[in-house]
């Protein structure tokens, strides 16, 4: 029989984070761009006062009980930040919803989550009006604005005003002591096949994964340096890399970009608000870099940007670091895994050359304490982590999903309790993780795997290529062979022959696509990824050159 | 009814830390000074192979079951490091014992903990031989050495050889999945009154508090810089600030100083082994600084030293930072609270002047997420955290004790679940914590408190003073008045009048000691603190000047 420790049983809960910030970093600033476009400024002290009122309103006027789902269809504003604490802290569950999803998907997930309330902002209100007749559980809608910005009229049956709710709420709120394993947030996967599935984060998982990032905040900072965090990633997507938790936990300033992602507006915040650390998909950086080059602007405080979601073009990473002093740090995560790897370079790599450091950062991050990794072949046999073997990536972590809401799609884990990430990866002995493909998109040629992502990353380096996708096309002898599909940049033209010549020598000969085609647009998902299933469907009868 | 999150139930256990390091930082070096004095070098990969054998030996040859206590009476060597994982990882409980305790105390705590085995090194073997006849539960002693260093003869009934145990052990070990709340380690408080009390750390508390330090490791480091951690603090005392966990969790190099604390030997490690971060009590630094000044040596890699246990003389802190580039960072902890505050300077303080930053660092650290703080007066009423009010410090944290082993001395917490730290403190609105006294040592004069520690810190600044203690002496009108007791430096003389004149103007007039006495030596505890109870006893009939 084991002996129990005699330490305090203090649960890891999200409300503890904002209570800490309000108490000891009360004057630390939060700057948020409103939906209307101006900048709203307050601090953790004043935010907390409003969060308490929000919690009172959620549980009082709205009558949300522990476990009830409260939907938020909104962009990165200060009110969305308040929802992260004012909803989850009460024991109710914040359902963060991506406004870029198609209406059918929105209807499905809101009904599936059984959201009792749906919070919207001025930009998502029309979407809510469009789908409202098909929503079965929503009792009231709340407009995240003040009275002055409420719409003159609406087709919604019951639309409340966020600021009115706060004004009428009890100013004090006693946070309940929650089980740390209780649900804090639901986020639906944007599966490219089947229905979206709900990942139910617990307070424990959110707190632990935020703690894991503590080292990221102080990196490159002198002891006592002020850090300012701005999530460019949307807060409806995996909690925006925990930035809304990480900033108050560390007493860092927080900047929220609202909805305006124009490069000049992002720059105005990044530079004007002295942001030191940010996060977002590579697309933001492609757009911002282009704008920087045109305008000659520089960064004086920005040090690093976490990047995830898709791979970063090498030239972008090189230019941002060499010319602008900003490290683009890749890590891997997914809705089901709040952080799959660390963006931090492995200890000792600071001594490497610039080229070698970029090489290292072109990987998908590094093995981090808290996550266990396993690579398996199609038959489930474990493969070595030697940096050469590619296999299905399986993980275990306190911040990884074990199942989906209402058991949709069965368990998320295999028979041994490992989560099936759906990714193909290699892992080096030093823990460098390289994701090479989604399992379902990998091209199987003569019994070997060809990584579509690696070929795409090279193709995107061609100056005339804006987007690239590589898919498998059936082949009588090899089972599948790769086909390169590209979209050209505006005003550029490129031939299949040029594309294939560009790849030649950069990848193994047997990985060379059998053909290339240039099309007008790639089918995209609501989260900005190429919908390869649709693309494969479109090219399923494509006859490769050697077979014509 | 709340909704449960659907995340993996992965317990926070200590073995996960060394498994991570062995897998992804296998070549990262551990350097340890042996008891014999030479340097032993290996790495996480080879350490883990030995730790697996140790766990096999502990559970196999020795037959330790989960919950059984295994005592370790040893200094900071590589074998002590192996015990941290090879014992706790099996579900057995490592009882770390301070060899500086008096024999009666050692006998008491070993019997109280019911240690089944006692691991000793060449330096602690004579101590074990001395107390062995009085130990009721120890079945076998293990000498932490190889066969060549076993003693020719011993009075111990059964003395095994550590390396023989490892050689004979199964090389592989399957780590059990432990309840994260199960005990990992026991450490007894060195109470100055009553019997020592056992604090029982859980795996959860050790892992969480280590995570809390992640930001400390990357502070002042470029992304990818190699950090090297060396605990000067002994590993038998509060896990040496978690350095033995923190280094493998972050893939940092680890340097262990063994038993030789001569300044030239510490310097040889700090500088020669490229240590970047260390920890220890201020006394180490007083001795090292003196040696540095005499020899003209410098540091090229060392950046910071955590300091705790007693307050740091301001001149030491200034000189170490200005002349040697080493920040002495104070934080507060105690056996019952693995970390009570953060040593990190508050965000924004990097912009302060040197003087202001030293001012800030003269405090006892800063409020940190994870710890809740409360100040109360004698009647238990809450006091404001305004930087001016002094009160009894109460805390709550997942890494604070709720009780002592076998309920010794009653609960550690008050009726509302707050731990009674036994300290008097103030907390500023920005979370700067200043410990001013132990509750039991505070001097009550005319209903107000006088802080003995603050007066001592100033008195120690007098060039002729080596040690200073201020105690309360009874007074008919004021209840108590302060008496300053000092020990002069070798070869120095100082009069009571000089001492009082030195204090004059540096503290409030009503805090001025009514008298000063110079004595040969202060009564000390086994952990190097002044035993004030004994001192008060000695001076209980002392008649202050005005009353003679």
């Amino acid at each position: 029989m084991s002996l129990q420790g005699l330490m305090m049983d203090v649960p890891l809960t999200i409300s503890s984070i904002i209570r800490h910030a309000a108490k000891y970093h009360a004057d630390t600033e939060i700057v948020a761009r409103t939906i209307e476009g101006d900048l709203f400024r307050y601090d953790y002290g004043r935010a907390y006062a409003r969060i308490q009122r929000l919690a009172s309103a959620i549980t009082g006027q709205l009558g949300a009980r522990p476990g009830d789902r409260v939907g938020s269809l909104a962009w990165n504003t200060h009110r969305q930040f308040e929802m992260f604490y004012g909803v989850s802290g009460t024991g109710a569950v914040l359902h963060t919803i991506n406004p870029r999803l198609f209406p059918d998907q929105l209807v499905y997930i809101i009904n599936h989550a059984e959201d009792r309330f749906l919070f919207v902002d001025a930009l998502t209100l029309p979407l809510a009006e469009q789908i409202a007749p098909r929503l079965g559980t929503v009792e009231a809608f709340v407009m995240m604005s003040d009275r002055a910005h409420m719409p003159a009229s609406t087709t919604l049956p019951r639309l409340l005003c966020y600021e009115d709710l706060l004004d009428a709420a009890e100013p004090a709120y006693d946070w309940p002591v929650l089980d740390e394993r209780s649900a804090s947030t639901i986020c639906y996967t944007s599966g490219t096949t089947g229905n979206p599935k709900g990942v139910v984060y617990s307070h424990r998982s959110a707190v632990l994964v935020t703690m894991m990032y503590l080292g990221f905040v102080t990196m490159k900072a002198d002891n006592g340096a002020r850090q300012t965090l701005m999530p460019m990633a949307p807060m409806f997507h995996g909690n925006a890399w925990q930035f809304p938790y990480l900033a108050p936990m560390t007493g860092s300033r927080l900047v929220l970009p609202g909805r305006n992602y124009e490069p000049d507006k992002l720059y105005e915040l990044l530079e004007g608000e002295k942001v030191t650390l940010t996060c977002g998909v590579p697309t933001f950086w492609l757009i911002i870099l282009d704008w920087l080059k045109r305008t000659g602007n520089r960064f004086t405080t920005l040090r690093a940007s976490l990047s995830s979601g898709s791979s970063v073009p090498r030239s972008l990473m090189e230019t941002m670091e060499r010319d602008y002093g900003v490290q683009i740090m890749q890590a891997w995560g997914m809705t089901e895994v709040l952080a799959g790897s660390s963006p931090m370079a492995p200890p000792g790599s600071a001594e490497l050359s610039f080229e070698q450091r970029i090489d290292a950062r072109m990987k998908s991050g590094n093995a981090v304490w808290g996550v266990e990794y396993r690579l398996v072949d199609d038959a489930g046999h474990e493969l070595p982590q030697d940096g050469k073997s590619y296999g299905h990536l399986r993980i275990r972590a306190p911040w990884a999903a074990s199942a989906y809401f209402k058991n949709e799609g069965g368990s998320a884990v295999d028979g041994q309790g490992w989560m099936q990430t759906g990714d193909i990866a290699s892992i080096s002995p030093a823990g460098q993780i390289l994701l090479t493909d989604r399992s379902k998109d990998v091209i199987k040629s003569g019994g070997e795997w060809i990584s579509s992502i690696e070929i795409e990353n090279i193709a995107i380096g061609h100056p005339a290529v804006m987007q690239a996708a590589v898919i498998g096309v059936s082949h009588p002898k090899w089972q599948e062979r790769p086909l390169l599909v590209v979209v050209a940049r505006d005003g550029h033209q490129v031939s299949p022959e040029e594309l294939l010549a560009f790849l030649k020598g950069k990848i193994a000969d047997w990985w060379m696509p059998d053909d290339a085609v240039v099309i007008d647009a790639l089918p995209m998902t609501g989260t900005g990824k190429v919908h390869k299933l649709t693309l494969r469907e479109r090219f399923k009868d494509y006859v490769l050159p050697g077979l014509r």
Side-chain angles (χ1 to χ4, degrees), chain A residues 443 445 471-485 500 512-517 539-548:
Chain A
I443 299 159
S445 178
I471 54 171
V473 173
S474 66
H475 189 285
K477 179 172 174 194
W478 301 109
Q479 184 180 5
E480 285 187 338
R481 288 297 303 160
L483 171 68
L484 171 63
V485 185
L500 296 177
M512 278 294 293
D514 282 23
D515 203 1
V517 289
F539 285 97
K540 80 171 156 35
D541 297 324
Y542 190 81
V543 182
L544 293 166
L547 307 171
R548 282 169 195 161

Side-chain angles (χ1 to χ4, degrees), chain A residues 263-272 291-292 297-299:
Chain A
D264 58 325
K265 292 296 178 186
L266 288 176
Y267 180 81
E268 181 184 316
L269 292 177
L270 290 168
E271 179 62 18
W291 182 86
L292 290 171
N297 279 296
R298 321 286 305 172
F299 290 115

Side-chain angles (χ1 to χ4, degrees), chain A residues 85 110 186 241 263 300 418 465 508:
Chain A
Y85 295 94
I110 294 168
I186 296 189
W241 290 59
T300 53
W418 292 80
V465 172

Side-chain angles (χ1 to χ4, degrees), chain A residues 133-357:
Chain A
R134 298 163 63 197
L135 300 180
T137 59
V138 175
E139 298 164 27
F141 296 81
V142 180
M143 175 80 175
M144 296 162 83
S145 77
D146 54 18
R147 173 60 44 197
H149 290 90
M150 289 295 283
S153 69
T154 177
T155 59
L156 291 175
R158 186 179 170 209
L159 182 65
L160 308 172
C161 170
Y162 185 96
E163 294 297 328
D164 283 358
L165 277 176
L166 262 56
D167 286 345
E170 276 293 322
Y173 181 78
D174 257 352
W175 301 98
V177 178
L178 302 171
D179 174 355
E180 68 184 32
R181 288 181 164 81
S182 65
S184 59
T185 316
I186 296 189
C187 188
Y188 278 74
T189 60
S190 50
T192 45
T193 55
N195 284 321
K197 292 178 283 187
V199 179
V200 188
Y201 302 135
S202 62
H203 284 260
R204 172 183 166 94
S205 65
V207 168
L208 287 176
V209 77
T210 304
M211 291 182 81
M212 193 273 267
Y213 273 110
L214 288 172
F216 171 73
V217 176
T218 57
M219 168 201 72
K220 296 168 97 53
D222 199 11
N223 176 28
R226 167 77 67 196
Q227 299 286 34
T228 301
L229 276 58
M230 175 167 113
M232 295 199 290
M235 288 163 71
F236 54 71
H237 194 191
N239 302 334
W241 290 59
Q242 326 314 318
F243 272 40
Y245 302 135
L246 190 58
M249 185 184 275
T250 57
S252 302
R253 288 174 75 242
L254 181 66
V255 178
L256 299 170
R259 177 58 186 116
N260 195 326
Y261 282 75
E262 292 302 312
D264 58 325
K265 292 296 178 186
L266 288 176
Y267 180 81
E268 181 184 316
L269 292 177
L270 290 168
E271 179 62 18
E273 296 302 329
K274 299 187 169 61
V275 171
T276 55
L277 302 168
T278 184
C279 65
V281 293
T283 311
F284 292 137
W285 282 113
L286 289 168
I287 295 165
I288 295 171
L289 178 58
D290 185 57
W291 182 86
L292 290 171
K293 283 181 179 168
R294 282 191 285 110
T295 59
N297 279 296
R298 321 286 305 172
F299 290 115
T300 53
T301 60
L302 190 63
R303 289 289 166 264
S305 177
L306 289 187
S307 184
S308 189
S310 61
S311 35
V312 176
R314 186 182 182 102
S315 60
L316 173 65
M317 193 177 274
E318 286 175 346
T319 307
M320 285 308 300
E321 175 154 358
R322 200 180 40 220
D323 300 348
Y324 295 92
V326 177
Q327 287 190 357
I328 308 283
M329 298 167 69
Q330 292 197 86
W332 159 72
M334 52 196 296
T335 307
E336 290 91 332
V337 185
L338 283 169
S341 65
S342 167
M344 308 282 281
S349 52
E351 296 148 25
L352 300 176
S353 71
F354 179 79
E355 285 299 316
Q356 288 170 318
R357 280 186 288 115

Side-chain angles (χ1 to χ4, degrees), chain A residues 521-532:
Chain A
L522 289 169
M524 304 298 282
T525 69
T527 53
K529 292 179 187 165
V530 175
H531 202 296
K532 287 206 174 169

Side-chain angles (χ1 to χ4, degrees), chain A residues 352-387:
Chain A
L352 300 176
S353 71
F354 179 79
E355 285 299 316
Q356 288 170 318
R357 280 186 288 115
I358 296 288
D359 283 347
R361 290 223 310 283
M362 287 299 291
K363 307 290 193 299
S364 323
N366 295 283
V368 66
W369 175 84
V371 184
E372 294 168 90
Y373 305 87
R374 194 176 156 94
L375 297 176
V376 298
D377 64 17
D378 279 340
H381 298 125
E382 187 159 3
L383 296 169
Q385 299 185 16
D386 55 10

